[in-house]
Amino acid sequence: HGTLFQVSTSGALVEGIYDGVVSVATLEEHGDFGLGTFADLNGEMVALDGHFFRARSDGTVVEAPGDALVPFAVVTHFRAERTAVIESCESFVALEARLDAMRDSANVFFAFRADGVFDFVKTRIACKTAPDTPLVEAATHQAEFEYKDVEGSLIGFWTPHYARTVNVPGYHLHFLSKDRRIAGHLLDCRAKSLRAQLQHEADFRIAVPETAHFLKADLTRDGSADLEKAERDRR
């Protein structure tokens, strides 16, 4: 089974705690696959095959240096346990249904990877944000992009509903093109055929930030509704 390593919590992000607390170099020790964001919510992080990339709000993608800091990330050493071909995926909702068929439990975490040529991909990239700006407000200023006929990979995780104050419940996926020029948080997609791979994550580790900002924050509120609004397509 896999081990999921997470930095901070989604609940902290919801409340606007965007301080960089762990470096990309440290994340590399814990996984070669995953996603997250960067300090001050400045861009989207995608990790695939041991390389960590930063999607910037102008749509460009660069490989992240080891000293780049992140406030939230989830990584694992990805070793596929199950593979399936997903035919005729008409939307993100349809993709979720097909990935659901690959899961055998609603009570453990899963890592997913899906590769293929996408007829359509819609992504968003978070823009640099002032501390304490609630995530749902920060998401209204995000940069959104649409692409057609692009080959690439979906990278991400499925989180059980009971962990909704710790991580994004359900599916959280990022996209990375094969040429590494396009990346971002997935909002929607269409594809005729995808090769999907799954790994179940039975061990879950979380690095809790020790910054004053995090330690003194009120994280008792269930922000899952705000998280859903910030993470999903606003159409």
Side-chain angles (χ1 to χ4, degrees):
H1 54 74
T3 296
L4 204 62
F5 178 77
Q6 179 173 314
V7 177
S8 191
T9 71
S10 58
L13 276 188
V14 166
E15 301 301 338
I17 300 175
Y18 308 134
D19 309 306
V21 292
V22 170
S23 70
V24 166
T26 297
L27 291 178
E28 290 173 336
E29 298 174 8
H30 295 278
D32 55 15
F33 173 100
L35 51 76
T37 186
F38 290 91
D40 300 322
L41 215 63
N42 191 9
E44 305 285 346
M45 188 193 83
V46 189
L48 184 63
D49 298 330
H51 293 272
F52 285 70
F53 297 93
R54 180 181 199 152
R56 300 184 290 199
S57 59
D58 63 358
T60 59
V61 179
V62 295
E63 192 150 1
D67 60 358
L69 295 177
V70 303
F72 175 85
V74 189
V75 298
T76 190
H77 291 284
F78 188 77
R79 305 292 182 268
E81 300 169 356
R82 197 174 309 158
T83 301
V85 175
I86 296 176
E87 300 287 359
S88 186
C89 173
E90 306 87 4
S91 66
F92 190 7
V93 173
L95 174 66
E96 290 178 314
R98 287 160 176 77
L99 294 179
D100 281 344
M102 296 181 67
R103 292 189 295 106
D104 56 6
S105 174
N107 297 321
V108 296
F109 295 79
F110 290 91
F112 281 99
R113 173 176 178 171
D115 302 280
V117 177
F118 292 79
D119 299 329
F120 171 78
V121 172
K122 182 177 182 180
T123 63
R124 77 102 193 271
I125 300 176
C127 300
K128 188 173 182 179
T129 304
D132 297 318
T133 302
L135 183 64
V136 70
E137 180 181 336
T140 64
H141 305 294
Q142 66 192 14
E144 296 186 0
F145 302 88
E146 295 184 2
Y147 305 96
K148 293 182 179 179
D149 302 320
V150 57
E151 186 174 1
S153 305
L154 299 179
I155 299 101
F157 302 94
W158 185 89
T159 296
H161 186 70
Y162 64 74
R164 63 189 180 277
T165 60
V166 176
N167 204 328
V168 179
Y171 294 97
H172 183 189
L173 302 172
H174 284 192
F175 176 78
L176 179 65
S177 64
K178 186 177 181 179
D179 63 10
R180 308 307 191 240
R181 294 183 177 182
I182 297 170
H185 173 91
L186 184 70
L187 294 177
D188 201 2
C189 65
R190 290 195 303 271
K192 292 184 176 66
S193 179
L194 295 173
R195 180 174 180 267
Q197 301 174 77
L198 166 153
Q199 173 179 262
H200 89 282
E201 307 282 344
D203 289 344
F204 179 60
R205 296 183 57 197
I206 183 167
V208 178
E210 296 185 60
T211 62
H213 198 186
F214 182 91
L215 294 176
K216 295 180 179 180
D218 181 0
L219 302 179
T220 58
R221 184 175 72 91
D222 182 354
S224 54
D226 284 355
L227 190 61
E228 171 78 8
K229 190 180 299 183
E231 294 294 316
R232 294 292 184 170
D233 196 347
R234 292 175 175 268
R235 287 184 306 175

